Amino acid sequence: MIDASHLSKAYGPIEALRDVSFSIAAGEIVGLLGPNGAGKTTIIKILTGYLQPDAGTALVNGLDVLEHTREVQAQIGYLPETAPLYPELSVQAYLKMMADLRQIPVEQQPHLLSEAIYATGLQDHLTRPIGQLSKGFRQRVGLAQAIMHKPRLLILDEPTVGLDPTQIVETRNLIRRLADHSTVLFSTHILSEVEALCDRVIILINGQVKADARLSELEATSDAILVLEQRVPEVSEALKRLPQVRDVGVFKSHDGFPAYRVLGRTAKERPAPADDLCPAIYALAREHNWPVRELRRDVRTLETVFNELATAEVAQ
């Protein structure tokens, strides 16, 4: 559905995007994750035809965005961070105007508008001026205009910013339902949004793609945590001699016992996928009669991955 290849864009001396490439298949829900200023909105503006890249190409459903802008935009539902609303219009007048602008045939409008209104929970607010609605309901109006024509691709820029917890949950549920018939790309700087909605994430930092993988792949690790009842000499040295081990870190567990974080070899250092280190560590502990209190595989969250990438970028 989306094929972005070597996209670059600069605003004067500031490089917003640097050689960005990624593909998104039909039916996926993909989170575009990054800190403020990472280039997320620039990518979205290029994909929707509102901005021309300095280099690279962007295809949507096989069509070049620059060459077939109108055709591409007809297949997209787009909700920018600030929804394009007219506060003096009522909800129903605004949605009718958007249906006309999208050139939805008049005979199809009642059915499509009704579906969008009920999907976003706006049925009790149709006659109210948009300017009198809460932030959450204004966001719903923006979503309704984005989905009324049943787009093949739905692009949302920070869709839950400014919403209260209840509205965030409702918006998440709506996005999941929309994914039944649309590919969804949404940008955010909120890690929990990606974890709650996506199977796949593209992490963008300083205008570059730093990670593009399914969450399960990003969080996969062979690292292990070993906690002993008491300190034992040369535990770190023995662990480091295991062929699967890259390094060992020493720390204290939450209850004060000596603990070791055993790091497995990286993907570049091993020919096979990450294996669980626990069996090898357990065998070593039995051999040396270590007083093991706890042995478990380490948990790697999206927050951990993101912080590692951000820290590595700062260090460069």
Side-chain angles (χ1 to χ4, degrees):
M1 181 57 67
I2 297 177
D3 187 8
S5 179
H6 304 290
L7 292 176
S8 295
K9 180 65 181 179
Y11 301 101
I14 300 173
E15 286 187 291
L17 296 179
R18 290 184 283 170
D19 197 32
V20 169
S21 298
F22 61 88
S23 296
I24 297 176
E28 286 191 287
I29 302 180
V30 179
L32 188 60
L33 176 65
N36 292 327
K40 304 185 300 295
T41 299
T42 298
I43 286 179
I44 285 176
K45 286 182 177 180
I46 289 173
L47 292 176
T48 52
Y50 289 97
L51 190 66
Q52 183 171 335
D54 297 333
T57 59
L59 305 181
V60 173
N61 198 24
L63 297 175
D64 188 297
V65 174
L66 292 180
E67 295 181 8
H68 306 279
T69 305
R70 294 286 182 167
E71 294 94 325
V72 167
Q73 289 175 339
Q75 299 184 46
I76 293 176
Y78 176 37
L79 177 62
E81 185 174 353
T82 302
L85 306 176
Y86 294 87
E88 69 277 7
L89 293 181
S90 68
V91 172
Q92 62 183 6
Y94 171 76
L95 294 178
K96 177 64 169 68
M97 178 189 73
M98 295 303 297
D100 291 338
L101 288 174
R102 288 197 174 276
Q103 299 181 332
I104 297 175
V106 174
E107 63 275 11
Q108 295 180 22
Q109 287 187 16
H111 172 68
L112 292 177
L113 285 172
S114 178
E115 280 196 346
I117 287 166
Y118 277 93
T120 52
L122 291 169
Q123 60 271 20
D124 296 328
H125 303 273
L126 294 179
T127 59
R128 292 186 62 186
I130 293 174
Q132 295 181 10
L133 298 177
S134 67
K135 167 71 174 177
F137 276 100
R138 291 199 300 272
Q139 195 78 335
R140 294 188 194 195
V141 176
L143 275 170
Q145 66 80 25
I147 67 175
M148 67 169 62
H149 59 302
K150 292 187 176 297
R152 301 192 63 178
L153 173 61
L154 184 60
I155 297 180
L156 310 174
D157 192 359
E158 304 281 2
T160 60
V161 167
L163 304 186
D164 64 37
T166 300
Q167 293 165 344
I168 289 174
V169 172
E170 291 173 350
T171 302
R172 288 175 182 172
N173 292 334
L174 174 58
I175 291 173
R176 289 192 193 97
R177 293 197 300 271
L178 295 174
D180 290 339
H181 54 77
S182 298
T183 302
V184 179
L185 172 66
F186 74 94
S187 77
T188 183
H189 62 275
I190 303 172
L191 296 172
S192 59
E193 290 298 298
V194 175
E195 291 178 318
L197 282 169
C198 300
D199 290 325
R200 179 180 164 206
V201 61
I202 298 171
I203 297 179
L204 197 70
I205 298 177
N206 289 338
Q208 293 181 298
V209 174
K210 295 299 182 179
D212 179 359
R214 305 187 77 80
L215 287 179
S216 58
E217 295 171 350
L218 276 179
E219 296 170 356
T221 175
S222 63
D223 301 349
I225 300 295
L226 171 66
V227 182
L228 302 181
E229 293 281 354
Q230 61 191 44
R231 188 165 298 283
V232 176
E234 300 184 355
V235 170
S236 295
E237 290 74 12
L239 289 169
K240 288 178 182 178
R241 285 195 290 269
L242 290 173
Q244 310 97 311
V245 172
R246 170 166 52 95
D247 200 3
V248 177
V250 181
F251 65 103
K252 281 190 176 182
S253 67
H254 63 89
D255 45 7
F257 289 91
Y260 304 84
R261 178 171 285 106
V262 187
L263 306 180
R265 296 196 178 277
T266 64
K268 292 182 179 179
E269 296 171 326
R270 61 175 187 266
D275 293 322
D276 189 353
L277 286 175
C278 291
I281 296 172
Y282 177 72
L284 187 66
R286 285 193 62 185
E287 178 186 340
H288 292 276
N289 199 28
W290 292 339
V292 176
R293 179 181 179 87
E294 180 182 359
L295 175 60
R296 59 178 170 81
R297 196 163 187 166
D298 197 11
V299 177
R300 195 166 187 250
T301 64
L302 180 59
E303 181 179 4
T304 305
V305 175
F306 184 81
N307 287 336
E308 287 175 358
L309 293 171
T311 302
E313 181 69 15
V314 171
Q316 289 180 357

